[in-house]
PDB file of all heavy atoms in Angstrom:
ATOM      1  N   ASN A 264      -3.064 -32.676  10.941  1.00  0.00           N
ATOM      2  CA  ASN A 264      -3.824 -33.023   9.783  1.00  0.00           C
ATOM      3  C   ASN A 264      -4.605 -34.277   9.892  1.00  0.00           C
ATOM      4  O   ASN A 264      -5.097 -34.767   8.941  1.00  0.00           O
ATOM      5  CB  ASN A 264      -2.945 -33.163   8.480  1.00  0.00           C
ATOM      6  CG  ASN A 264      -1.898 -34.247   8.577  1.00  0.00           C
ATOM      7  OD1 ASN A 264      -1.571 -34.670   9.682  1.00  0.00           O
ATOM      8  ND2 ASN A 264      -1.329 -34.623   7.465  1.00  0.00           N
ATOM      9  N   ALA A 265      -4.748 -34.734  11.200  1.00  0.00           N
ATOM     10  CA  ALA A 265      -5.478 -36.013  11.387  1.00  0.00           C
ATOM     11  C   ALA A 265      -6.909 -35.975  10.984  1.00  0.00           C
ATOM     12  O   ALA A 265      -7.554 -36.951  10.532  1.00  0.00           O
ATOM     13  CB  ALA A 265      -5.374 -36.418  12.867  1.00  0.00           C
ATOM     14  N   TYR A 266      -7.519 -34.758  11.051  1.00  0.00           N
ATOM     15  CA  TYR A 266      -8.888 -34.559  10.621  1.00  0.00           C
ATOM     16  C   TYR A 266      -9.133 -35.097   9.180  1.00  0.00           C
ATOM     17  O   TYR A 266     -10.092 -35.720   8.944  1.00  0.00           O
ATOM     18  CB  TYR A 266      -9.142 -33.035  10.663  1.00  0.00           C
ATOM     19  CG  TYR A 266     -10.425 -32.535   9.913  1.00  0.00           C
ATOM     20  CD1 TYR A 266     -11.682 -32.587  10.491  1.00  0.00           C
ATOM     21  CD2 TYR A 266     -10.259 -31.949   8.651  1.00  0.00           C
ATOM     22  CE1 TYR A 266     -12.795 -32.093   9.815  1.00  0.00           C
ATOM     23  CE2 TYR A 266     -11.383 -31.486   7.994  1.00  0.00           C
ATOM     24  CZ  TYR A 266     -12.624 -31.528   8.555  1.00  0.00           C
ATOM     25  OH  TYR A 266     -13.733 -31.090   7.906  1.00  0.00           O
ATOM     26  N   TYR A 267      -8.132 -34.878   8.312  1.00  0.00           N
ATOM     27  CA  TYR A 267      -8.411 -35.347   6.934  1.00  0.00           C
ATOM     28  C   TYR A 267      -8.333 -36.865   6.822  1.00  0.00           C
ATOM     29  O   TYR A 267      -8.990 -37.455   5.962  1.00  0.00           O
ATOM     30  CB  TYR A 267      -7.387 -34.691   5.988  1.00  0.00           C
ATOM     31  CG  TYR A 267      -7.520 -33.128   6.027  1.00  0.00           C
ATOM     32  CD1 TYR A 267      -6.692 -32.357   6.732  1.00  0.00           C
ATOM     33  CD2 TYR A 267      -8.580 -32.565   5.331  1.00  0.00           C
ATOM     34  CE1 TYR A 267      -6.873 -30.992   6.776  1.00  0.00           C
ATOM     35  CE2 TYR A 267      -8.738 -31.169   5.275  1.00  0.00           C
ATOM     36  CZ  TYR A 267      -7.895 -30.407   6.044  1.00  0.00           C
ATOM     37  OH  TYR A 267      -8.058 -29.041   6.115  1.00  0.00           O
ATOM     38  N   GLY A 268      -7.455 -37.491   7.637  1.00  0.00           N
ATOM     39  CA  GLY A 268      -7.422 -38.965   7.662  1.00  0.00           C
ATOM     40  C   GLY A 268      -8.767 -39.466   8.220  1.00  0.00           C
ATOM     41  O   GLY A 268      -9.224 -40.471   7.701  1.00  0.00           O
ATOM     42  N   ASN A 269      -9.306 -38.846   9.169  1.00  0.00           N
ATOM     43  CA  ASN A 269     -10.654 -39.229   9.660  1.00  0.00           C
ATOM     44  C   ASN A 269     -11.687 -39.169   8.516  1.00  0.00           C
ATOM     45  O   ASN A 269     -12.466 -40.117   8.381  1.00  0.00           O
ATOM     46  CB  ASN A 269     -11.168 -38.184  10.675  1.00  0.00           C
ATOM     47  CG  ASN A 269     -10.329 -38.231  11.967  1.00  0.00           C
ATOM     48  OD1 ASN A 269      -9.455 -39.090  12.186  1.00  0.00           O
ATOM     49  ND2 ASN A 269     -10.529 -37.219  12.780  1.00  0.00           N
ATOM     50  N   LEU A 270     -11.672 -38.145   7.732  1.00  0.00           N
ATOM     51  CA  LEU A 270     -12.614 -38.084   6.643  1.00  0.00           C
ATOM     52  C   LEU A 270     -12.460 -39.230   5.667  1.00  0.00           C
ATOM     53  O   LEU A 270     -13.431 -39.832   5.153  1.00  0.00           O
ATOM     54  CB  LEU A 270     -12.500 -36.711   5.851  1.00  0.00           C
ATOM     55  CG  LEU A 270     -12.660 -35.431   6.658  1.00  0.00           C
ATOM     56  CD1 LEU A 270     -12.682 -34.309   5.705  1.00  0.00           C
ATOM     57  CD2 LEU A 270     -13.905 -35.401   7.546  1.00  0.00           C
ATOM     58  N   MET A 271     -11.227 -39.590   5.377  1.00  0.00           N
ATOM     59  CA  MET A 271     -10.934 -40.665   4.460  1.00  0.00           C
ATOM     60  C   MET A 271     -11.430 -42.058   4.994  1.00  0.00           C
ATOM     61  O   MET A 271     -11.591 -43.000   4.242  1.00  0.00           O
ATOM     62  CB  MET A 271      -9.421 -40.735   4.082  1.00  0.00           C
ATOM     63  CG  MET A 271      -9.081 -39.499   3.249  1.00  0.00           C
ATOM     64  SD  MET A 271      -7.332 -39.479   2.853  1.00  0.00           S
ATOM     65  CE  MET A 271      -7.192 -40.795   1.701  1.00  0.00           C
ATOM     66  N   ARG A 272     -11.504 -42.117   6.316  1.00  0.00           N
ATOM     67  CA  ARG A 272     -12.093 -43.355   6.897  1.00  0.00           C
ATOM     68  C   ARG A 272     -13.634 -43.254   7.161  1.00  0.00           C
ATOM     69  O   ARG A 272     -14.140 -44.173   7.793  1.00  0.00           O
ATOM     70  CB  ARG A 272     -11.354 -43.648   8.187  1.00  0.00           C
ATOM     71  CG  ARG A 272      -9.873 -44.084   8.044  1.00  0.00           C
ATOM     72  CD  ARG A 272      -9.300 -44.576   9.307  1.00  0.00           C
ATOM     73  NE  ARG A 272      -9.369 -43.609  10.396  1.00  0.00           N
ATOM     74  CZ  ARG A 272      -8.528 -42.608  10.602  1.00  0.00           C
ATOM     75  NH1 ARG A 272      -7.495 -42.464   9.777  1.00  0.00           N
ATOM     76  NH2 ARG A 272      -8.661 -41.740  11.555  1.00  0.00           N
ATOM     77  N   GLY A 273     -14.229 -42.187   6.608  1.00  0.00           N
ATOM     78  CA  GLY A 273     -15.653 -42.041   6.866  1.00  0.00           C
ATOM     79  C   GLY A 273     -16.009 -41.546   8.280  1.00  0.00           C
ATOM     80  O   GLY A 273     -17.119 -41.849   8.738  1.00  0.00           O
ATOM     81  N   GLN A 274     -15.015 -40.951   9.015  1.00  0.00           N
ATOM     82  CA  GLN A 274     -15.198 -40.713  10.393  1.00  0.00           C
ATOM     83  C   GLN A 274     -15.365 -39.195  10.704  1.00  0.00           C
ATOM     84  O   GLN A 274     -14.943 -38.758  11.807  1.00  0.00           O
ATOM     85  CB  GLN A 274     -14.119 -41.438  11.226  1.00  0.00           C
ATOM     86  CG  GLN A 274     -14.239 -42.914  11.095  1.00  0.00           C
ATOM     87  CD  GLN A 274     -13.140 -43.656  11.788  1.00  0.00           C
ATOM     88  OE1 GLN A 274     -12.057 -43.015  12.043  1.00  0.00           O
ATOM     89  NE2 GLN A 274     -13.269 -44.967  12.013  1.00  0.00           N
ATOM     90  N   GLY A 275     -15.726 -38.342   9.752  1.00  0.00           N
ATOM     91  CA  GLY A 275     -15.924 -36.998   9.998  1.00  0.00           C
ATOM     92  C   GLY A 275     -17.148 -36.881  10.948  1.00  0.00           C
ATOM     93  O   GLY A 275     -18.166 -37.528  10.760  1.00  0.00           O
TER      94      GLY A 275
END
Side-chain angles (χ1 to χ4, degrees):
N264 62 342
Y266 165 82
Y267 299 101
N269 297 347
L270 302 189
M271 291 178 68
R272 291 189 304 275
Q274 298 173 342

